[in-house]
Amino acid sequence: MSALLASIRSIDFKSLALAALDIIVVAYILYRLIVLAKGRRAWQILIGIGVFFLLVLLSNWLGLVTLNWLLQSITPLGPVAIVILLYPELREVLERLGRLDFWGAPLSVTRQENITGTIEAIVTAATLLSARKTGALILMARETGLDDVIATGTVLNATVTPELLTTIFYSGTALHDGAVIVRDGFLVAAGCTLPLSDAPNIATNVHMRHRAAMGASESSDAVVVIVSEETGTISIAIGGKLDRGLKPELLREKLLSAFGKGAKKALPRLSLTRKNKEASSEAPTS
Ligand SMILES: Nc1ncnc2c1ncn2[C@@H]1O[C@H](COP(=O)(O)OP(=O)(O)OP(=O)(O)O)[C@@H](O)[C@H]1O
């Protein structure tokens, strides 16, 4: 008993508390970084890095000398490659650190909004625009921020209504070109430039507006609704995949399912960072 008391007394509680704090802070930072990366291209890059290190360990363990030598030779280039590949995400993390919103509110769902109402407004607007053959590009945010895309357009921060959407896309208005960004139940910005898809096998009848929608949904977890100016057809792009020729009911169904049952009351935040600079120089105007 006295030995137990002596050993308890010998514990340096201050160092223990500091070590615990250290572990908690590091774990929290890692958690926030994972939440930030998830659903974006950065996530695939991180998985790729994980696979690379797994291969290094495996080749070492199996005694695959040449493969191990090759992988070990490439490893010192890793930090530079990571900075290049994850440049947009690293920039966003630093910006968030500066704005202090890296630590606070959750990065995913920040506000409880009526997503069903937002979806309804978008479906109604798409139906009207489709009937008039007015081109439209509506990007719906899901996770993290879209600040760099928003920066390419004009900030509005207005409630999403069919009237506002149809007015914005009315040909000839100053903001009809480009995409509108909907986030947290608000039409945050209009006239935004999206990154174009660089997928190799895009059909020739997929024009710039649809390519931009595909690009935005490839680079982030955004859900993009498109109305073709040429044919009036309504399409949706999710994860780089374009689903064309949707009836309003199917569009509503897909949007509700994209925002998930749990998210029916919340419009999550989303980010899209990659390729904007390239797209802003490529985007055409009508
Ligand atoms: N990178 C981009 N980001 C945002 N909007 C874009 C981008 N590229 C094109 N657009 C929008 O698409 C419009 C022109 O698209 P496009 O040339 O595909 O029109 P279209 O021939 O009528 O085809 P569609 O049937 O796809 O509407 C532009 O005026 C612009 O509003």
Side-chain angles (χ1 to χ4, degrees):
M1 185 65 182
S2 61
L4 182 68
L5 282 174
S7 61
I8 288 175
R9 253 186 243 117
S10 71
I11 297 174
D12 181 355
F13 283 103
K14 193 179 160 205
S15 317
L16 208 65
L18 282 175
L21 184 69
D22 197 20
I23 291 169
I24 289 168
V25 170
V26 171
Y28 188 66
I29 290 174
L30 285 178
Y31 163 73
R32 302 297 291 193
L33 290 175
I34 288 170
V35 171
L36 189 68
K38 217 153 178 213
R40 311 170 80 183
R41 210 172 270 198
W43 187 242
Q44 281 146 21
I45 293 170
L46 290 179
I47 291 175
I49 292 168
V51 170
F52 179 84
F53 282 111
L54 211 69
L55 272 178
V56 174
L57 290 176
L58 211 66
S59 61
N60 188 29
W61 186 59
L62 293 173
L64 303 176
V65 182
T66 316
L67 181 62
N68 190 255
W69 168 82
L70 189 70
L71 295 175
Q72 298 265 16
S73 318
I74 298 170
T75 306
L77 301 174
V80 179
I82 288 172
V83 170
I84 294 169
L85 291 171
L86 298 180
Y87 164 72
E89 286 78 13
L90 290 172
R91 211 186 68 173
E92 190 176 327
V93 166
L94 290 175
E95 280 172 10
R96 278 170 180 268
L97 276 172
R99 290 199 309 264
L100 300 179
D101 65 353
F102 177 80
W103 309 96
L107 294 169
S108 51
V109 179
T110 54
R111 277 147 84 170
Q112 292 295 305
E113 298 290 345
N114 186 354
I115 181 65
T116 317
T118 304
I119 288 174
E120 213 44 59
I122 289 172
V123 171
T124 307
T127 311
L128 292 167
L129 292 163
S130 161
R132 295 174 198 157
K133 289 196 180 172
T134 302
L137 194 50
I138 304 166
L139 188 146
M140 298 175 74
R142 283 206 279 190
E143 279 187 27
T144 63
L146 264 178
D147 296 351
D148 51 352
V149 176
I150 291 164
T152 64
T154 302
V155 172
L156 296 177
N157 281 328
T159 307
V160 183
T161 62
E163 293 78 11
L164 180 61
L165 285 167
T166 49
T167 304
I168 287 174
F169 288 113
Y170 190 81
S171 181
T173 65
L175 295 176
H176 84 282
D177 250 338
V180 300
I181 312 297
V182 174
R183 182 173 77 184
D184 293 337
F186 282 97
L187 197 158
V188 185
C192 298
T193 303
L194 304 183
L196 296 177
S197 171
D198 50 16
N201 302 318
I202 300 181
T204 46
N205 63 353
V206 175
H207 300 156
M208 299 300 267
R209 198 188 315 268
H210 291 74
R211 274 191 61 186
M214 287 170 72
S217 69
E218 269 165 23
S219 315
S220 73
D221 65 349
V223 175
V224 192
V225 175
I226 318 108
V227 179
S228 165
E229 193 171 317
E230 198 181 322
T231 61
T233 51
I234 302 172
S235 310
I236 192 170
I238 301 176
K241 199 172 157 284
L242 194 63
D243 212 344
R244 302 181 90 174
L246 304 180
K247 294 266 176 281
E249 305 74 48
L250 195 52
L251 173 68
R252 181 182 296 110
E253 206 175 288
K254 283 184 181 287
L255 289 177
L256 285 171
S257 112
F259 283 90
K261 287 187 174 62
K264 271 191 182 170
K265 281 193 163 184
L267 185 58
R269 300 185 69 192
L270 167 158
S271 171
L272 184 158
T273 50
R274 203 170 290 274
K275 298 190 290 181
N276 284 325
K277 300 263 156 27
E278 301 157 33
S280 49
S281 55
E282 286 178 50
T285 51
S286 60

